[in-house]
Amino acid sequence: MLTRIDHIGIACFDLDRTVEFYRATYGFEVFHSEVNEEQGVREAMLKINDTSDGGASYLQLLEPTRPDSTVAKWLDKNGEGVHHIAFGTADVDAEAAGIGEKGVRVLYEEPRRGSMGSRITFLHPKDCHGVLTELVTSAPVESPEH
Ligand code: MC0
């Protein structure tokens, strides 16, 4: 089951300036930032709200780290804007398998590492009415050590 909008991915040319826009305009603060070399992005997660499934919804601001990354290619063609939408699920493997059986192309054979240690895969935008769609299972919340 898909239980939340996990995040909306927004491609930008300059991450620091875009973070500052979201802070100054809406008051959203950076919850987490990291570089994902495999995906070729530097990213900032701005938490919007907690969700009833125990997760949260974020805006994900993405700046490419190399010219051959998917986000760099997309920016060259489209300029800045909404790049993808991500749905959260407790079981990305099962969701990807079930959606794949419906004829939608799942882009990864096995989920890969996403933001904050999550496991992610993508669905081809041409099979999703023009929307690059990501499926996310968050990393388990660490229980505090005693
Ligand atoms: C490409 N297309 C898109 C699109 N990217 N349509 C909607 N939204 C997008 N974001 C369209 C193009 O316009 C083109 O349509 C067609 O798909 C083929 O695109 P292409 O430019 O020739 O590029 P491809 O085929 O080499 O790659 C497209 C594909 C790729 C979706 C397979 O971008 C991909 O593998 N994306 C998944 C990974 C990703 O995007 N990572 C970055 C976020 P026309 O009509 O012109 O043929 S990483 C992330 O988000 C992580 C860190 C996280 O959430 O934790």
Side-chain angles (χ1 to χ4, degrees):
M1 201 185 351
L2 304 176
T3 52
R4 64 179 179 277
I5 291 177
D6 185 90
H7 64 265
I8 295 169
I10 297 171
C12 61
F13 292 114
D14 184 325
L15 185 63
D16 298 335
R17 287 186 59 182
T18 310
V19 162
E20 178 52 20
F21 170 82
Y22 278 90
R23 194 199 61 74
T25 309
Y26 307 118
F28 296 146
E29 301 287 348
V30 175
F31 180 81
H32 172 84
S33 57
E34 68 180 79
V35 172
N36 185 324
E37 283 299 352
E38 182 185 26
Q39 294 289 341
V41 294
R42 190 161 82 89
E43 59 165 79
M45 297 294 270
L46 314 182
K47 188 169 171 179
I48 307 302
N49 61 282
D50 293 312
T51 53
S52 59
D53 60 357
S57 293
Y58 302 87
L59 291 183
Q60 181 185 61
L61 307 179
L62 298 161
E63 177 195 88
T65 56
R66 49 171 202 269
D68 63 341
S69 73
T70 56
V71 172
K73 272 179 72 177
W74 191 86
L75 279 166
D76 282 348
K77 193 170 165 186
N78 303 285
E80 295 184 312
V82 174
H83 178 260
H84 66 270
I85 184 166
F87 296 122
T89 171
D91 190 345
V92 64
D93 300 85
E95 284 301 326
I99 291 169
E101 279 170 12
K102 294 174 186 171
V104 174
R105 278 169 288 173
V106 178
L107 295 178
Y108 302 151
E109 239 167 68
E110 291 291 329
R112 298 184 185 174
R113 193 185 67 75
S115 191
M116 299 185 281
S118 59
R119 296 177 72 243
I120 62 169
T121 194
F122 288 90
L123 310 176
H124 201 289
K126 293 292 177 191
D127 296 345
C128 302
H129 295 267
V131 179
L132 176 61
T133 304
E134 181 180 339
L135 308 177
V136 183
T137 295
S138 302
V141 179
E142 307 257 336
S143 46
E145 288 180 25
H146 297 289

